Amino acid sequence: MLLHTLMVASLLTAQVPEVPPQAGSPTAVVEATPAWEVKDTRAMAPDGPVAADEYVVGPGDGFLLSILGEQNLAVQLRVGPAGSIVLPEGGVVDVRDMTIAEVEVAVRDALEDYYHHVELLLTLVSPRSTTLHVTGAVERPGSYEVLATTRISRVIEMAGGPLPRASLRGVELRGDDGGVVRADLASYANAGDLEGNPMAARGNIVHVPFRSRVFEIVGAVNVPGMYGLLPGDRLSDAISVAGGARRDAMMASVEFVRFSPDDPRAYESEMLDLSEAAWEQSDLNRVLTDGDRIYVRRDDLWHVAYRVEVSGEATNAGHFAIIEGEDRLTDVIERAGGFTDWADLDRASLTRRSPSAGETAGERELAFLMESDRGSLTTEEASFLHATTVEPSVLVSVDFRALFEHGEGDDPLLRGGDVIDVPRRMDAVRVSGAVATPGYVDFVDGGSIRDYVDAAGGYAPLASRRRVSVVRSITGQRVRATTRTPVRSGDTVFVPRREATDWLQVTKDVLSIAGQVATIYIVIDNISQ
């Protein structure tokens, strides 16, 4: 069999930017502009051997005829101006308009009476040069000298690439005989259809038309966007040109929108189930018309693996996959091997990522209240504002000690993105404010406020003992201290400082008031006399 070894270059790098789906939207069609990357064609790597049944032989093509047998023989052949080649024996063979595969058969037939028990090998070694005239929607229309093996995409590249409204699906390669080969460069680039990118050997004029009739396909396809519409295009062609459906595509609910030919603002929408393998042979494979839109929605739950993070004093801290709606806090902690001996359950926390779906009604109300005049708020509004600003909204309320040591309290269901943090036990309480030696003191289980103040050297002279508070280490919430207020490891005992009394100013104020009283008394006494 004839082998053919010439390599050609990969030429086309066209992409259409994704347009977000707007199902049922009556907005006007907005065309997506292909991005055409112009390269130095001299540096391009070959894209593989030329198919023997694709390349059309013409004057100027050079071949190497190898005759392999008891004695090997190599003969160079060239196609003459009349479209024929001269063989060493066998005379002249007319190869006009033949493919390489057809030339192989003709050469073998011509030489079969001269060579027996040998293998004939014909290889294209020097393809001819040809002049292509590039017209239409390109940056630099004109004539270009190229090899006959050059693909149409590279020729358009040499002409500066297509204009924004060029139809890459309707490129025409015209020959001297009036024949037309149509190139679909979108199918070539997105679906790997080599037939959509023919070689220059099949014509001498490349015409790139402007895009007039279009369809749009968006969503879960590999190359969503707007494409030129060819006669006879069907729904399956649209999906193929767009690079095919992605694995996460919901093919059971593809929306097909068609505009009215009489009213460009009116349209009809229908949902199509394309999940069956034979849908392309059914009535579901609609014939497309100008302006049709196809929405292929994505399955948001496709291969979604929800996970949570356990950090800190867990035996096997790290990430854990969960099933939302089934796995609870205790399930994950058990899989993490439980807590270490240094785990501080009083300060352990479960935080939850804020919803990404958008601002909730409660968040909108909070924003309104924060921008309002505090004096104009009702008691209920002020209470809501205080609660939502003091208590972090990302914390899930869990009593770790009660849950894991006594089996009491809520065992919340986990959600993807949750973070379980178990800090290392500090065994210390911070005492700050008006005390003799502020700082950390040892934590004593069951210790009172006064115990920790005494451990910090006692109250300072200006300490306000009635306004002592405890700041919780987990939430940052400040609690007014009483004799029964528990203090946990990591908490802060805060003793505020009262302002010192300025006795000189007090004396002045008392004398001033006394003088005013005496004056009033004298006036009243004079009036009474």
Side-chain angles (χ1 to χ4, degrees), residues 392-410:
S393 59
V394 296
L395 279 179
V396 179
S397 180
V398 181
D399 188 336
F400 277 73
R401 185 172 295 280
L403 177 61
F404 288 96
E405 291 187 353
H406 308 292
E408 301 174 351
D410 292 334

Side-chain angles (χ1 to χ4, degrees), residues 189-208:
N190 300 338
D193 182 9
L194 195 59
E195 292 184 1
N197 190 18
M199 289 184 290
R202 303 179 67 177
N204 57 10
I205 296 177
V206 177
H207 179 69
V208 182

Side-chain angles (χ1 to χ4, degrees), residues 296-354:
V296 184
R297 290 175 174 80
R298 174 181 178 272
D299 183 358
D300 291 334
L301 298 180
W302 173 263
H303 283 186
V304 173
Y306 296 107
R307 67 179 185 180
V308 298
E309 180 182 359
V310 180
S311 62
E313 295 300 316
T315 303
N316 300 306
H319 291 91
F320 296 86
I322 64 165
I323 300 176
E324 283 197 342
E326 294 186 18
D327 287 325
R328 296 184 177 273
L329 175 60
T330 53
D331 297 325
V332 172
I333 294 300
E334 180 180 357
R335 289 161 58 190
F339 305 114
T340 68
D341 294 338
W342 285 94
D344 188 345
L345 297 187
D346 291 325
R347 294 194 300 132
S349 63
L350 169 61
T351 58
R352 178 155 295 161
R353 186 172 48 194
S354 299

